[in-house]
Amino acid sequence: MLDRLLAGVRMGHSGVLVLRGESGVGKTALLEYLVGSATGFRILRAAGAEFEMELAFAALHQLCAPMLDGLAGLPDHQRDALATAFGLSGGDPPDRFLVGLAALGLLSEAAGQRPLLCVVDDGQWLDHASAQALAFVARRLLAEPIALVFAVREPSETEALAGLPDLAVGSLSDSHARAMFDSVIRGPMDERVRDRIVAETRGNPLALLEFPRGLTPAELAGGVGLPDTMPLSTRIERSFVRQIRSLPSETQRLLLVAAAEPIGDVTLLWRAAERLGILPGAADAAVAAGLMELGVRARFRHPLVRSAVCRAAPVAEVQSVHRALADATDAETDPDRKAWHRAQGAVGPDEAVARELERCAARVRGRGGVAAAAAFLARATELTPDPAARAARALAAARAKLGAGALDAASELLGTAEIGPLDALSRARLERLRAELAFAKTRGSDAPPALLDAGKRLERLDAELARETYLDAFDAAIFAGRESAGGGVARVADAVRAAPRGPQPPRPTDLLLDALATRFAKPYEAAVQPLREALAAVADAGDRGGDTRALWLAWRVAPDLWEDELWHELASSAVRLARDAGRLSILPIALTYRAAVHVQAGEFDAASGLIEDADALSTATGSAPLWYTSLALAAWRGDESRALELIQAGRGDATVRGEGRAIGLAHYATAVLYNGLGRYEDALTAAARACAYEDLGLFGWALAELVEAGTRSGERAAAVDALRRLDERTKVAGTDWALGVLARSRALLCDGEEAEQLYREAIERLGRTCIAVHLARAHLVYGEWLRRENRRVDAREQLRAAHEMFTRMGAEAFTERARRELLATGETVRKRSVETLDELTAQEAQIARLAAQGQSNPEIAAELFISPRTVEYHLRKVFTKLDIASRKELRGAFPDAQRVAAAG
């Protein structure tokens, strides 16, 4: 497989592979084989280091360091992002995706000179930011002569590499294991002992090679002194420990310095060694034993040598080595690593070191290292001697861990804070954070009451924080929806209305909070204007980088007001700000809601990509899965078996957690699916269930589905009642989206001239929005009505428009519904519009659509986070599949692109 990978790269194709296996199974040996086989390649190497897992972008810097002279060739915003991430310059926290794109650009440029092989060992120890960036690069390599190969020890918690092509490196067969074992045994060997060792090592190559070392022939012959049963990695490490302990004491200490210094900086190694009184000759015995190499960098023979050295050394010795490394590290060029070594070298509580770690936390957060900031704060907590200060730092560290998506670590820190002497305000903050943590883990019905109680406790202690807590309670209660206990959103609204007034002038947070209280305590029409003003203030604050807390909830309110442009703006801002801040606990939700905007715009491929990113982040952080947009997208795509599988799974999961909003969304998605399939009675049942509770932003959509299902299934009374409720809110909202959906729904219940005028109004209004799915449905139902009026020529025009739009989107059920209607008019439906575009992959279709809008290759590359060369590669395939020769001809295949370009 590795040979084929290199052969493909020599032919100009990219290759990505993740080698997975247990410790000692041979992953590093395979990487070395790959490097030795890569004749004519430029080799770039990096390795995860356990000591650097909390330092953002540490491994990415290793890989990119030899190419940094190419920074000048990157676009300004990419160059600045990468320079900031590597600490080469100051600036605002870099966008993680821009960092990944810049790394991709560096690699692509380097590969233009000769093929590139990038090997990343110890992937299980990659810092989170580097793992994300390297996975980002791996998923976007295609047309560059680059091979990117990782080695990851299993089991591993590194989720960023999930989904990449991988190779499970398994154990040796029994016969091969015996042959390998016999190759390192000299003298007679009791076959039963050999068989026992082979069985215990389970065919692990490194274990087979290392196990006999350090044991006497007598011990091997009779089995005396063989280690007890233990995890394989521990057995291998103990074998290394035996070798290490046979070395001179000075050599052992030097190995410990090298193990504690994770980047392999030989100069720093010897500076620290000198402070410990270790002479240069101490390395000779370790090199001669094959345990380490000293060249440009210090490298261990195997990662388990490093862990064996660290875990076998006395704690006091490890601390002494870290203190020496801290003294040897330059405070100007590498203050964070210096502080970390000081912290690891601290013998006991040390307030000075704790304060320094706090300063480092603020600095690394500014470079986008949220996880690193959380780690520094957690260690600062451990080193704090004063119980009150320790509890306060534990609270700060817990909040940082929550923001970084480390939910279990956040929970442990809350336990530390809880046993400390906290004043009333800090105690209330702790309870609030505990409720936020519960919400992040499950988004179920437990969180709203806890947040509400925390808000009430904070009213007399910190009125502004109390109002922010009530906003969080609204958020949680909206998620809990129909599963809410004790009043749900109405209870939160009552508490807000009874609470002290907010600051004057009000913050965007306060405007949104008061508007939501009105929304859930009074009729819909009373809240429209206050909500609209609040959303405008939130959007403005997000653009200016000011008070952005309300943004996380505001984008869910926008569709309740039928505000498509503001919804788009708020969702985009939420994703951008979550990425910039590294808020991994909130980013999956932001990505999911941004994907929902794409679904309503008919951009299913773009939505699918964001959903995949959100799912990966939720899995990595241990957050509750996000089913919302996945269910809606599956329903609009119209693959019945796949959609129902997702809907049932999502509804079941939400029921267990008590996440009522997801249950409502599942019913709405079912209604969309069955309306598309033309199974209107089933759609009516699902829509009625969706409308049984007024889920914010979903209720109006479900009413529209209920109107169509009711009219088509002969349940006119249900349709009329749904139309009445839809009319009450859409007329007050007054947007083209609202009035367009209302006109289409009313037309379904009308006849003659009135129906035709309403259908035309719906198409005109929805054509001015970005809600393409409902525009296509307006064309569809108008065409269906015209056919039933025996106006076949007019019907064909509307049905063709619907068929083309649904085909481009990938809405299979609605496409088939339009096709059936076209056939009924006597028109033969051309297959090209379906099959040809269906031949395009998701990324090809997305690139083609952007090119049809007039974007250049570099512009498309920047938007999709790929390289311009990959864009060019995809466009060549698009031209071949569509049998066209120019970008100009793309506009015919993607006519909606011209409208998007004009709107832009």
Side-chain angles (χ1 to χ4, degrees):
M1 184 177 283
L2 297 179
D3 289 340
R4 289 197 300 270
L5 185 92
L6 291 180
V9 173
R10 288 189 173 99
M11 295 174 65
H13 303 298
S14 300
V16 176
L17 188 64
V18 182
L19 302 175
R20 298 185 180 276
E22 64 179 2
S23 301
V25 81
K27 303 180 298 297
T28 300
L30 287 172
L31 290 183
E32 295 303 325
Y33 168 82
L34 189 67
V35 169
S37 303
T39 306
F41 282 66
R42 181 179 182 182
I43 311 296
L44 296 176
R45 308 184 75 136
E50 201 167 6
F51 287 110
E52 288 206 332
M53 289 183 71
E54 306 294 352
L55 297 179
F57 300 112
L60 185 66
H61 183 266
Q62 282 186 55
L63 193 73
C64 293
M67 302 182 294
L68 290 181
D69 55 353
L71 271 178
L74 295 176
D76 292 347
H77 57 294
Q78 295 180 28
R79 180 180 65 247
D80 294 344
L82 201 62
T84 305
F86 289 166
L88 302 176
S89 64
D92 295 331
D95 185 305
R96 296 291 180 91
F97 282 69
L98 276 181
V99 172
L101 186 57
L104 177 62
L106 278 181
L107 291 169
S108 182
E109 184 63 27
Q113 302 169 16
R114 56 174 165 153
L116 199 61
L117 171 61
C118 306
V119 293
V120 182
D121 206 351
D122 293 328
Q124 75 281 354
W125 288 334
L126 290 175
D127 63 277
H128 187 68
S130 291
Q132 279 188 319
L134 290 170
F136 174 94
V137 170
R139 291 187 172 93
R140 285 154 181 84
L141 288 174
L142 180 64
E144 297 83 1
I146 298 174
L148 177 54
V149 183
F150 301 86
V152 178
R153 180 195 297 182
E154 296 291 354
S156 167
E157 296 180 0
T158 305
E159 296 291 340
L161 305 181
L164 295 177
D166 60 8
L167 172 65
V169 183
S171 301
L172 300 176
S173 66
D174 284 349
S175 60
H176 288 156
R178 291 190 190 95
M180 174 171 279
F181 189 71
D182 289 344
S183 72
V184 294
I185 294 296
R186 296 194 178 109
M189 176 73 189
D190 187 320
E191 289 192 6
R192 292 169 299 177
V193 175
R194 183 191 65 180
D195 290 344
R196 175 189 170 188
I197 293 173
V198 168
E200 288 183 349
T201 56
R202 294 179 288 114
N204 183 280
L206 186 63
L208 289 162
L209 291 171
E210 299 296 336
F211 222 126
R213 298 184 184 181
L215 296 175
T216 66
E219 288 172 336
L220 285 171
V224 179
L226 288 176
D228 296 331
T229 300
M230 61 187 76
L232 180 58
S233 61
T234 306
R235 294 203 300 268
I236 299 172
E237 285 174 14
R238 284 187 59 170
S239 173
F240 282 133
V241 167
R242 288 195 298 269
Q243 294 181 66
I244 291 164
R245 285 178 176 166
S246 69
L247 299 173
S249 59
E250 266 207 343
T251 303
Q252 294 183 44
R253 293 186 76 203
L254 182 67
L255 285 172
L256 183 58
V257 178
E261 196 292 294
I263 61 174
D265 186 333
V266 175
T267 303
L268 180 60
L269 170 68
W270 286 117
R271 282 207 304 265
E274 183 179 359
R275 284 166 169 77
L276 292 167
I278 300 172
L279 300 176
D284 296 344
V287 173
L291 293 173
M292 72 179 300
E293 301 171 5
L294 284 177
V296 177
R297 289 185 178 275
R299 294 180 59 193
F300 284 99
R301 168 186 176 181
H302 188 276
L304 287 179
V305 176
R306 181 193 298 273
S307 59
V309 169
C310 294
R311 294 174 189 178
V315 172
E317 188 71 18
V318 173
Q319 292 169 337
S320 172
V321 163
H322 276 293
R323 288 194 296 271
L325 283 166
D327 292 340
T329 302
D330 192 312
E332 294 295 324
T333 60
D334 205 351
D336 300 336
R337 193 171 281 116
K338 183 180 183 72
W340 188 254
H341 281 307
R342 283 193 68 194
Q344 297 300 96
V347 176
D350 189 320
E351 178 60 25
V353 176
R355 282 198 302 269
E356 187 176 353
L357 288 173
E358 277 190 312
R359 289 192 292 270
C360 288
R363 189 163 51 242
V364 298
R365 183 185 285 113
R367 296 207 307 266
V370 178
F376 276 67
L377 289 171
R379 181 59 177 154
T381 300
E382 296 170 1
L383 294 177
T384 303
D386 179 68
R390 182 168 59 250
R393 282 178 176 144
L395 268 181
R399 176 156 294 284
K401 289 287 187 183
L402 174 60
L407 306 186
D408 291 338
S411 183
E412 290 180 13
L413 285 161
L414 280 181
T416 299
E418 193 167 25
I419 62 175
L422 296 172
D423 58 27
L425 177 57
S426 296
R427 185 70 59 182
R429 286 175 178 269
L430 184 147
E431 294 305 321
R432 177 188 183 223
L433 189 54
R434 191 180 298 285
E436 288 182 89
L437 185 60
F439 178 52
K441 284 185 174 181
T442 66
R443 287 192 305 278
S445 56
D446 295 339
L451 284 164
L452 191 58
D453 290 345
K456 289 179 178 177
R457 292 183 64 178
L458 284 164
E459 279 186 11
R460 58 186 176 81
L461 301 168
D462 187 333
E464 291 189 11
L465 184 58
R467 291 178 66 80
E468 292 175 7
T469 306
Y470 284 138
L471 196 66
D472 290 337
F474 262 132
D475 201 8
I478 289 167
F479 270 102
R482 66 192 67 205
E483 297 293 295
S484 294
V489 290
R491 184 182 171 196
V492 181
D494 290 341
V496 172
R497 290 165 66 81
R501 253 186 102 196
Q504 298 299 318
R507 303 165 298 172
T509 302
D510 300 299
L511 291 173
L512 182 59
L513 180 65
D514 291 335
L516 283 170
T518 301
R519 171 68 177 82
F520 294 113
K522 294 186 177 182
Y524 176 84
E525 58 267 21
V528 170
Q529 191 56 34
L531 281 172
R532 195 162 276 153
E533 292 172 0
L535 294 194
V538 171
D540 181 62
D543 290 340
R544 292 184 287 102
D547 184 0
T548 59
R549 183 173 188 81
L551 190 65
W552 316 123
L553 177 56
W555 80 76
R556 281 196 289 281
V557 176
D560 195 59
L561 301 178
W562 305 86
E563 289 277 2
D564 58 305
E565 291 185 4
L566 190 54
W567 188 35
H568 181 288
E569 179 184 351
L570 288 166
S572 299
S573 295
V575 171
R576 173 174 51 82
L577 291 169
R579 280 176 176 159
D580 289 349
R583 293 280 304 277
L584 299 186
S585 60
I586 200 73
L587 181 55
I589 302 175
L591 289 171
T592 298
Y593 276 87
R594 183 68 184 86
V597 177
H598 283 298
V599 170
Q600 295 295 317
E603 299 163 351
F604 294 172
D605 294 331
S608 182
L610 291 176
I611 290 169
E612 288 179 9
D613 289 342
D615 288 345
L617 283 169
S618 295
T619 300
T621 60
S623 302
L626 292 149
W627 295 96
Y628 294 86
T629 308
S630 300
L631 304 189
L633 177 59
W636 281 103
R637 285 195 185 277
D639 182 336
E640 182 179 5
S641 60
R642 173 62 177 155
L644 288 178
E645 179 184 348
L646 277 175
I647 289 168
Q648 290 168 5
R651 187 167 60 229
D653 182 74
T655 301
V656 171
R657 289 198 316 274
E659 189 176 350
R661 181 177 173 83
I663 296 172
L665 190 280
H667 292 315
Y668 160 74
T670 305
V672 171
L673 174 67
Y674 284 135
N675 271 332
L677 293 168
R679 292 169 52 181
Y680 300 113
E681 291 182 359
D682 292 330
L684 179 69
T685 300
R689 289 172 178 166
C691 294
Y693 183 87
E694 192 169 334
D695 286 303
L696 186 78
L698 294 177
F699 185 61
W701 298 2
L703 286 173
E705 299 300 328
L706 184 53
V707 171
E708 182 167 337
T711 56
R712 291 291 194 255
S713 63
E715 296 290 339
R716 186 177 179 85
V720 169
D721 181 64
L723 180 63
R724 175 186 57 78
R725 289 186 287 171
L726 184 65
D727 182 270
E728 290 172 354
R729 60 188 55 237
T730 50
K731 280 186 175 177
V732 175
T735 65
D736 279 325
W737 182 8
L739 297 178
V741 169
L742 176 63
R744 189 192 76 200
S745 301
R746 286 183 60 197
L748 290 167
L749 288 161
C750 294
D751 298 310
E753 182 67 22
E754 182 182 8
E756 181 152 23
Q757 288 178 357
L758 287 168
Y759 282 127
R760 289 186 177 276
E761 178 188 349
I763 291 169
E764 180 182 354
R765 288 188 179 279
L766 290 170
R768 293 196 290 263
T769 74
C770 60
I771 309 300
V773 290
H774 285 294
L775 174 61
R777 285 180 70 171
H779 283 292
L780 174 61
V781 293
Y782 185 25
E784 291 172 335
W785 180 82
L786 288 168
R787 186 184 72 78
R788 285 160 180 75
E789 293 290 307
N790 291 318
R791 294 165 56 182
R792 294 191 174 190
V793 175
D794 293 336
R796 287 170 189 162
E797 179 184 352
Q798 300 301 323
L799 293 171
R800 281 194 212 107
H803 188 267
E804 288 288 337
M805 292 181 70
F806 285 133
T807 298
R808 287 195 300 272
M809 295 174 194
E812 296 176 11
F814 282 105
T815 298
E816 177 60 19
R817 182 172 147 185
R819 189 187 72 84
R820 289 195 304 266
E821 289 289 327
L822 275 170
L823 291 174
T825 67
E827 177 163 313
T828 301
V829 183
R830 291 186 305 164
K831 293 185 178 181
R832 185 201 64 81
S833 58
V834 178
E835 274 73 7
T836 305
L837 289 177
D838 278 352
E839 289 177 3
L840 300 183
T841 66
Q843 191 164 46
E844 288 168 358
Q846 195 172 13
I847 289 171
R849 190 169 281 110
L850 293 173
Q853 292 172 20
Q855 293 195 34
S856 66
N857 286 6
E859 289 170 338
I860 296 172
E863 180 164 340
L864 300 185
F865 298 105
I866 56 179
S867 70
R869 189 175 302 177
T870 296
V871 173
E872 181 182 355
Y873 170 82
H874 278 303
L875 281 177
R876 286 198 301 268
K877 295 178 69 177
V878 168
F879 288 173
T880 300
K881 289 182 178 182
L882 298 183
D883 193 23
I884 60 177
S886 69
R887 287 172 177 253
K888 187 175 182 179
E889 292 179 79
L890 277 176
R891 296 172 191 164
F894 298 91
D896 62 321
Q898 297 180 56
R899 179 180 64 81
V900 174

